[in-house]
Amino acid sequence: MSHTLGIRQAQKQKTRRALLDAALELLEGQSLSSLGLREVTRAAGVAPTAFYRHFRSIADLGVALVEEALGSLHPTIRTTVSTAGDSEERIARAVELIAGHVDAYPAHVRFIARERHGGVRPVREAIRGQLARFAGEVGEALAEDPVSAGWSEGDRLMLAQLYVDQMLVTASLLLEASEAEAAPGERERVTRLATRQLRLISIGRRHWLDEPAGNSRTPT
């Protein structure tokens, strides 16, 4: 009996995976709001009725894709903040990690970039919730960095949100730069821009607690 249940569970997981993969592939050329259930099941090679054994709706499938896509991005965001070394080394490592993630998960990056402000509300809310959780975790990591000594929790969270937003923007731009129709050298231009933007955030971070000109400065 347990062997039979194991086979059924494996088949169920295989079907769910097929539906997610089919949807992700179809979403490379369209938004989630235009995706049809029968279109997904046809691409996955399963009957339409099988869809409802795994997802309540296309929106529900979209939420599952959010969890998968941002789950793959999570370690990258966390590592960019916790990477050891001086500021320039950390920035270079951060951009390298983001570029590697784009190369490894282009469909995930494209999906999040398109649906973050897309027309399917549960998916937008799922993305917002996941990013808020990321920002909270990054804020906790920043609290352990001596550069953040004296910062309020609210300010650390603000900085964490800046980092998370910057990672997403950079990933999206790198994906566009990797497309076949992108101008030659576009990826290098995006990499340089991302490096400069992260450097600006880093400089501002080091001086955030400085007093206005004419007042005593708070040690950092």
Side-chain angles (χ1 to χ4, degrees):
M1 177 66 74
S2 61
H3 178 67
T4 301
L5 289 175
I7 294 175
R8 289 177 180 174
Q9 185 63 27
Q11 183 59 48
K12 183 177 181 180
Q13 290 300 318
K14 182 178 179 180
T15 301
R16 176 184 171 86
R17 182 72 261 159
L19 289 167
L20 289 169
D21 288 344
L24 200 57
E25 183 174 353
L26 290 166
L27 288 170
E28 292 191 24
Q30 62 184 302
S31 65
L32 187 68
S33 60
S34 67
L35 192 64
L37 183 152
R38 289 184 178 276
E39 186 180 9
V40 174
T41 54
R42 182 167 57 250
V46 301
T49 53
F51 180 92
Y52 293 106
R53 300 193 189 105
H54 303 273
F55 306 104
R56 296 186 299 274
S57 61
I58 287 292
D60 189 37
L61 180 148
V63 170
L65 284 174
V66 169
E67 294 172 353
E68 180 174 274
L70 290 180
S72 67
L73 181 61
H74 185 198
T76 299
I77 292 178
R78 182 83 180 192
T79 304
T80 58
V81 177
S82 60
T83 298
D86 63 26
S87 181
E88 291 300 317
E89 290 174 343
R90 294 172 72 169
I91 289 171
R93 179 59 175 157
V95 175
E96 179 185 338
L97 285 169
I98 297 167
H101 180 85
V102 170
D103 291 339
Y105 304 99
H108 283 162
V109 174
R110 184 179 294 105
F111 171 70
I112 294 299
R114 178 179 288 146
E115 300 303 328
R116 187 180 182 187
H117 305 291
V120 181
R121 182 175 178 180
V123 172
R124 290 199 313 271
E125 292 176 346
I127 294 173
R128 189 181 306 120
Q130 288 275 0
L131 295 181
R133 182 172 67 85
F134 286 0
E137 293 179 357
V138 170
E140 292 175 1
L142 291 171
E144 302 172 3
D145 193 321
V147 179
S148 301
W151 284 48
S152 69
E153 182 179 353
D155 282 357
R156 287 197 304 270
L157 181 59
M158 179 174 64
L159 176 61
Q161 290 169 335
L162 273 176
Y163 276 122
V164 171
D165 286 344
Q166 182 61 38
M167 301 306 157
L168 290 175
V169 169
T170 299
S172 180
L173 290 175
L174 282 170
L175 178 65
E176 292 178 9
S178 300
E179 301 292 348
E181 64 270 18
E186 182 65 11
R187 186 174 175 114
E188 289 74 16
R189 188 193 71 81
V190 171
T191 298
R192 289 195 301 270
L193 176 62
T195 300
R196 288 173 59 83
Q197 290 171 330
L198 285 172
R199 186 178 295 131
L200 180 59
I201 293 174
S202 178
I203 293 171
R205 177 188 177 192
R206 292 198 299 271
H207 294 282
W208 178 246
L209 294 183
D210 289 357
E211 293 291 338
N215 295 338
S216 60
R217 297 163 70 90
T218 302
T220 58

